[in-house]
């Protein structure tokens, strides 16, 4: 019955579509809309069905999908069709990503396009270009406070430059990932300005209140995201004389998704950027999309329904485009952004593996993998046709959102363990070589996060200062060790620009008043291309790291067992210093790789025959796929040097 209603509505909508849309070749569009309409209508009805203007909004939604389909270029439509046929294309081990700020990497978009060869030199074939959409000078949160969703920020270039970049990357088989900041706008966005000027339509785009009554109710259960720089979740706007919800910085106004007009605007914007050539859209801060009193206003069920709806609509207009969920939340919550109670992903196909990232840093500080093993064991299975974005560092801080129960299980007290980690990475702990800084210190709860570049956090900055060659080598080994794990864990490894050259912290941000109280700026570098040339000089830190990564990436791409089909088996070796797992190719049974990483400063050993029945591996034929050498082996005792890893296989080298 319901299905009939929604289908007759579909027919009415198609009749009412603008005349120009009816003249086009919309066959693929109609097929996809027909296939997805029942779900789209149900979700939209579930969220907005109570409203008098429901049908009008539904028509508008379909109109947006149709108009953006018409705008989509023939070449992108071809890519859509190819990806529909090869729908698991992004699970392949051949993808390796890098995230970067355009200005820091290459000045502007033209500069970035001219550096495209660098990605190929390293082996990177997915580039996440962080926010380039227009944002204000000063109060911009590195581009995450958007003032005009349809234009490129003039500091990095023009829309035309972006289209050229997309073409240049695609010509080289490199994917382009772009950000769409869906949770909030800058207070300088036109919607915010019109709201401020008193327009009710635009006040309804945000959470705006006459007095503190409702904000105070919200505050009872909402945590603070930037407690030092933006305490509380509401900001008083003098002009309006009202309170606005601002979960992040006080100039970032939270969008109100209980208003269907907001959903439709944002869908239109996502599709707009998909049409500029984005293969992947990174949806920022998705955990925050729905606000409800008496909750933390994170991970609400409706936030998931909104993402499902966005995905289903995108499936109709631009089915080749993938979504990345940026949800830096508790481990049990993260996997839900692929979708729940489903077999294949129905929200975002890709999610940041923030759990793995934080656990890797725990292993670095403790020199053992106890919490890492425990945390990965507790990480819920993810759906098929979904994959992780595995990373070590990004432009944000390192949050220590492990599960308390896992910390206890690993033998630590949660509060003092987190304090130890902050002390370790900020160099306050005796003997720590790390050079990070605290971020987001919450004086009320005692919580803190950590800023700092990969190189500085593993001790390279202090080692270079002291000139101690052993300490330098240790840091280089640790950098390669961490990378070996994001390359082999299952998912798309995402490097962070500058880390491939061992770039240390940049302390210049302190001199810029707009950045000085946000320590994240210390790890958002400007690449010095002169220094980058040192990657060609044997023995330099740059060469050791760059070559190591280049080789690792090339080898990863040949190891089919590293494709992500949930084909990882964590091994309990009994040795707490080791993180060990098997990757096996689900389509070729004897294609198995044993990954072993030693986080300790001493050599560690592992008894191979304890791990699985004899015969699964030919010990005598074991080779490390990375170095091409036989590992150190005595009978079935495998020896792993300090801060080293193996990718072991008994198959012929590729
Ligand atoms: C995301 C971004 C972060 C930003 C925040 C608010 O978490 O990664 O840099 O501050 O959203 O937009």
């Amino acid at each position: 019955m319901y299905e009939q209603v929604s289908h007759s509505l579909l027919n009415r909508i198609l009749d009412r579509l603008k005349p120009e849309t009816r003249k086009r070749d919309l066959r693929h569009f109609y097929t996809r809309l027909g296939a997805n309409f029942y779900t789209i209508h149900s979700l939209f009805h579930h969220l907005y069905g109570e409203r008098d203007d429901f049908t009008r909004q539904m028509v508008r939604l379909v109109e947006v999908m149709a108009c953006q389909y018409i705008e989509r270029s023939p070449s992108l439509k071809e890519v859509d069709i190819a990806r529909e046929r090869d729908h698991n294309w992004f699970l392949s081990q051949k993808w390796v990503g890098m995230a970067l700020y355009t200005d820091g990497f290459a000045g502007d978009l033209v500069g970035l396009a001219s550096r495209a060869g660098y990605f190929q030199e390293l082996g990177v074939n997915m580039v996440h270009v962080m926010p380039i959409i227009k944002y204000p000078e000063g109060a911009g949160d590195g581009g995450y406070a958007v003032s005009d969703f349809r234009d490129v920020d003039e500091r990095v270039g023009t829309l035309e430059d972006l289209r050229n970049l997309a073409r240049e990357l695609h010509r080289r088989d490199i994917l382009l990932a772009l950000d769409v900041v869906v949770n909030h706008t800058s207070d300088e966005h036109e919607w915010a300005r019109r709201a401020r000027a008193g327009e009710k339509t635009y006040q309804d785009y945000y959470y705006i209140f006459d007095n503190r009554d409702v904000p105070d109710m919200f505050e009872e259960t909402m945590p603070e995201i930037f407690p030092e720089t933006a305490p509380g979740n509401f900001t008083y706007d003098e002009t309006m004389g009202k309170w606005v919800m601002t979960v992040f910085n006080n100039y970032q106004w939270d969008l109100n998704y209980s208003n269907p007009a907001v959903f439709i605007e944002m869908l239109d914007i996502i599709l707009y950027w998909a049409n500029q050539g984005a293969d992947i859209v990174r949806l920022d801060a998705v955990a925050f999309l729905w606000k409800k009193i008496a909750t933390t206003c994170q991970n609400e069920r409706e936030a998931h329904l909104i993402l499902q709806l966005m995905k289903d609509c995108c499936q109709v207009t631009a089915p080749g485009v993938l979504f990345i969920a940026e949800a830096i939340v508790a481990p049990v919550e993260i996997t839900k952004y692929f979708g729940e109670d489903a077999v294949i992903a129905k929200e975002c196909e890709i999610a940041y593996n923030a759990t793995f990232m934080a656990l890797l840093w725990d292993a670095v500080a403790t020199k053992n993998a106890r919490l890492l093993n425990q945390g990965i064991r507790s990480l819920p299975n993810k759906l098929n046709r979904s994959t992780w974005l595995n990373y070590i560092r990004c432009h944000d801080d390192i949050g220590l959102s492990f599960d308390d129960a896992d910390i206890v299980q690993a033998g630590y007290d949660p509060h003092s363990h987190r304090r130890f980690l902050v002390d370790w990475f900020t160099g306050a702990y005796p003997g720590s070589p790390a050079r990070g800084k605290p971020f987001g210190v919450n004086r009320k709860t005692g919580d803190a996060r950590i800023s700092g570049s990969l190189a500085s956090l593993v001790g390279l900055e202090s080692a270079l200062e002291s000139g101690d060659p052993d300490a330098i080598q240790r840091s280089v080994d640790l950098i390669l060790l961490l990378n070996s794990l994001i390359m082999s864990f299952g998912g798309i490894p995402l490097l962070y620009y500058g880390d491939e050259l061992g770039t240390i912290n940049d302390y210049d941000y302190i001199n810029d008043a707009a950045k000085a109280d946000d320590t994240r700026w210390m790890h958002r570098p400007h690449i010095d291309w002169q220094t980058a040339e040192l990657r060609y000089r044997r023995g330099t830190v740059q060469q050791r790291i760059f070559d190591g990564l280049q080789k690792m990436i090339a080898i990863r791409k040949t190891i089919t067992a590293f494709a992500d089909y949930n084909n990882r088996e964590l091994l309990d070796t009994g040795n707490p210093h080791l993180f060990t797992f098997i990757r096996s190719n689900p389509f070729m049974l004897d294609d198995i790789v044993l990954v072993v990483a030693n986080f300790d400063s001493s050599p560690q050993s592992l008894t191979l025959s304890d791990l699985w029945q004899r015969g699964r591996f030919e010990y005598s034929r074991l080779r490390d796929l990375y170095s091409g050498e036989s590992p150190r082996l005595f009978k079935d005792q495998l020896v792993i040097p300090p801060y080293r890893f193996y990718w072991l296989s008994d198959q012929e080298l590729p």
Side-chain angles (χ1 to χ4, degrees):
M1 175 61 190
Y2 183 71
E3 204 163 346
Q4 271 169 15
V5 173
S6 69
H7 263 93
S8 70
L9 179 62
L10 171 62
N11 290 330
R12 279 202 338 257
I13 291 173
L14 294 177
D15 289 344
R16 277 160 59 174
L17 275 185
K18 288 194 182 133
E20 71 266 28
T21 61
R22 276 191 268 123
K23 280 190 231 120
R24 310 299 177 108
D25 176 4
L26 294 180
R27 274 170 303 167
H28 284 296
F29 177 79
Y30 285 148
T31 312
R32 292 178 191 135
L33 183 63
N36 290 285
F37 190 75
Y38 181 56
T39 323
I40 291 173
H41 183 263
S42 311
L43 285 166
F44 201 70
H45 192 266
H46 191 92
L47 288 162
Y48 308 115
E50 299 297 303
R51 296 176 56 109
D52 296 342
D53 62 349
F54 172 76
T55 305
R56 194 168 60 77
Q57 298 288 359
M58 187 73 219
V59 174
R60 175 81 195 114
L61 181 69
V62 178
E63 210 166 73
V64 160
M65 286 190 273
C67 292
Q68 291 292 1
Y69 179 79
I70 289 163
E71 288 294 312
R72 198 155 170 78
S73 73
S75 61
L76 291 177
K77 284 179 180 162
E78 262 172 46
V79 173
D80 286 334
I81 291 169
R83 288 184 184 159
E84 276 180 317
R85 290 205 186 108
D86 179 18
H87 62 279
N88 283 338
W89 63 275
F90 60 97
L91 304 181
S92 161
Q93 76 284 357
K94 84 171 206 191
W95 300 113
V96 176
M98 178 182 276
L100 51 86
Y101 276 111
T102 303
D103 56 346
F105 186 78
D108 58 19
L109 289 168
V110 174
L112 181 51
S114 73
R115 294 265 176 215
Y118 182 76
F119 302 124
Q120 281 176 307
E121 182 186 338
L122 185 57
V124 162
N125 50 14
M126 179 203 130
V127 178
H128 170 205
V129 177
M130 286 192 294
I132 46 161
I133 306 182
K134 220 175 184 58
Y135 65 96
E137 193 89 45
D141 192 22
Y144 287 100
V146 173
S147 54
D148 179 353
F149 278 112
R150 288 174 201 270
D151 207 359
V152 167
D153 193 89
E154 67 235 11
R155 281 161 286 187
V156 295
T158 63
L159 255 182
E160 195 44 38
D161 295 339
L162 177 70
R163 290 193 201 111
N164 287 339
L165 172 70
R167 265 193 295 275
E168 183 58 26
L169 293 179
H170 291 156
R171 199 173 65 78
R172 296 169 188 259
D173 285 329
I174 299 175
L175 304 175
L176 172 65
L178 291 180
D179 271 270
V180 176
V181 185
V182 280
N183 179 66
H184 43 258
T185 73
S186 150
D187 61 354
E188 293 183 29
H189 189 283
E190 191 197 336
W191 303 335
R193 281 198 271 114
R194 294 176 77 166
R196 199 180 268 133
E199 279 188 53
K200 168 94 175 62
T201 309
Y202 290 99
Q203 291 192 348
D204 287 348
Y205 272 38
Y206 301 98
Y207 292 93
I208 293 181
F209 303 98
D210 292 338
N211 55 42
R212 284 290 311 185
D213 291 353
V214 180
D216 283 343
M217 285 192 266
F218 268 113
E219 288 288 16
E220 278 179 41
T221 47
M222 285 176 87
E224 292 171 315
I225 307 301
F226 296 145
E228 291 164 301
T229 49
N233 290 284
F234 294 85
T235 301
Y236 186 70
D237 186 82
E238 297 282 349
T239 320
M240 271 190 305
K242 292 180 196 268
W243 291 89
V244 187
M245 185 183 278
T246 54
V247 169
F248 290 87
N249 287 299
N250 54 16
Y251 52 82
Q252 287 164 307
W253 289 19
D254 284 65
L255 286 165
N256 179 357
Y257 277 88
S258 66
N259 178 355
V262 168
F263 177 87
I264 294 169
E265 293 264 24
M266 294 314 290
L267 176 72
D268 197 21
I269 287 159
I270 291 171
L271 297 175
Y272 173 81
W273 290 102
N275 282 351
Q276 306 308 316
D279 301 277
I280 303 177
V281 175
R282 175 192 183 274
L283 300 177
D284 185 63
V286 288
F288 297 84
L289 292 182
W290 197 266
K291 315 296 197 289
K292 208 181 271 174
I293 290 208
T295 73
T296 58
C297 295
Q298 291 181 43
N299 308 312
E300 283 302 311
R301 179 163 174 269
E302 288 83 351
H304 288 284
L305 298 181
I306 284 172
L307 289 169
Q308 278 177 40
L309 187 55
M310 281 177 176
K311 182 78 265 185
D312 287 325
C313 294
C314 188
Q315 214 53 34
V316 174
T317 302
V321 172
L322 304 179
F323 285 172
I324 298 179
E326 194 252 351
I328 313 302
V329 290
V332 287
E333 295 294 341
I334 295 188
T335 42
K336 295 183 186 162
Y337 288 91
F338 296 122
E340 263 189 297
D341 304 326
V343 177
I344 62 162
K346 59 176 183 180
E347 290 182 28
C348 300
E349 292 89 348
I350 308 176
Y352 278 84
N353 199 346
T355 308
F356 186 41
M357 180 277 297
L359 289 166
L360 286 174
W361 284 108
D362 187 88
V364 170
T366 59
K367 299 191 175 59
N368 75 62
R370 288 212 309 262
L371 185 54
L372 172 56
N373 277 305
Q374 182 58 36
I376 294 302
R377 242 173 260 286
S378 311
L379 192 64
N381 286 339
K382 63 179 173 53
L383 304 178
N384 297 336
R385 198 177 176 273
S386 69
T387 199
W388 290 118
L389 211 47
N390 293 315
Y391 64 113
I392 308 166
R393 287 301 291 116
C394 70
H395 67 293
D396 281 332
D397 50 289
I398 302 172
L400 306 174
S401 60
F402 320 107
D403 199 285
D404 278 3
D406 285 339
I407 305 183
V408 171
Q409 192 72 32
Y412 310 114
D413 165 67
H415 182 74
S416 46
H417 190 62
R418 288 200 179 88
R419 161 138 296 164
F420 158 74
L421 292 172
V422 174
D423 286 349
W424 179 269
F425 287 113
T426 53
Y429 196 85
S432 162
R435 286 282 171 85
K437 284 198 180 189
F439 175 80
V441 179
N442 189 326
R443 309 254 167 241
K444 289 171 234 158
T445 61
D447 288 342
R449 286 117 74 185
I450 298 150
S451 285
S453 78
L454 167 58
S456 295
L457 290 176
V458 298
L460 185 58
E461 183 179 332
S462 52
L464 288 170
E465 237 168 62
S466 68
D468 174 352
D470 292 339
I472 295 175
Q473 188 57 45
R474 269 200 301 276
S475 310
V476 171
D477 286 344
L478 251 174
I479 290 174
L480 293 177
L481 172 93
L482 291 168
N483 276 288
S484 77
L485 292 173
I486 61 164
M487 300 271 174
S488 58
F489 185 78
I492 303 173
L494 183 72
L495 308 179
Y496 182 61
Y497 78 118
D499 288 349
E500 77 286 8
L501 298 164
T503 308
I504 59 171
N505 291 336
D506 179 352
Y507 298 100
D508 259 6
Y509 76 100
I510 296 170
N511 305 318
D512 180 340
K515 296 178 176 163
D517 53 8
D518 187 338
T519 55
R520 292 177 300 173
W521 287 101
M522 73 199 278
H523 57 256
R524 296 173 176 179
H526 279 85
I527 301 296
D528 175 352
W529 289 98
Q530 207 89 38
T531 309
E533 287 294 301
L534 292 176
R535 70 188 185 279
Y536 300 123
R537 194 181 307 159
R538 271 213 81 63
T540 61
V541 162
Q542 290 76 9
Q543 178 265 327
R544 281 185 272 169
I545 298 173
F546 192 92
D547 279 9
L549 284 177
Q550 192 184 43
K551 180 167 151 187
M552 214 183 275
I553 292 171
I555 293 168
R556 163 185 155 92
K557 290 181 181 176
T558 65
I559 303 178
T560 46
F562 283 178
D564 187 13
Y565 287 94
N566 289 329
N567 44 334
R568 179 186 50 253
E569 185 189 333
L570 209 59
L571 296 180
D572 185 2
T573 62
N575 183 335
H577 300 285
L578 301 178
F579 184 50
T580 312
F581 53 88
I582 291 181
R583 300 296 315 278
S584 46
N585 181 340
F587 309 107
M588 281 166 70
L589 288 182
D590 55 354
D591 186 1
I592 297 173
V593 178
L594 172 67
V595 176
V596 194
N598 178 8
F599 281 93
D600 195 27
S601 50
S602 309
Q604 295 294 325
S605 73
L606 172 66
T607 309
L608 289 172
S609 55
D610 283 354
L611 296 181
W612 60 89
Q613 323 87 328
R614 269 180 191 287
R616 190 145 168 212
F617 256 129
E618 279 275 359
Y619 302 149
S620 60
R621 285 177 44 196
L622 277 185
R623 286 278 180 283
D624 174 20
L625 299 177
Y626 175 68
S627 63
E629 288 163 11
S630 306
R632 290 167 67 187
L633 204 61
F634 173 65
K635 296 194 179 143
D636 67 348
Q637 290 287 305
L638 176 71
V639 180
I640 309 102
Y643 304 125
R644 297 293 276 276
F645 71 94
Y646 288 132
W647 288 349
L648 296 174
S649 160
D650 60 1
Q651 303 291 301
E652 284 303 305
L653 284 180

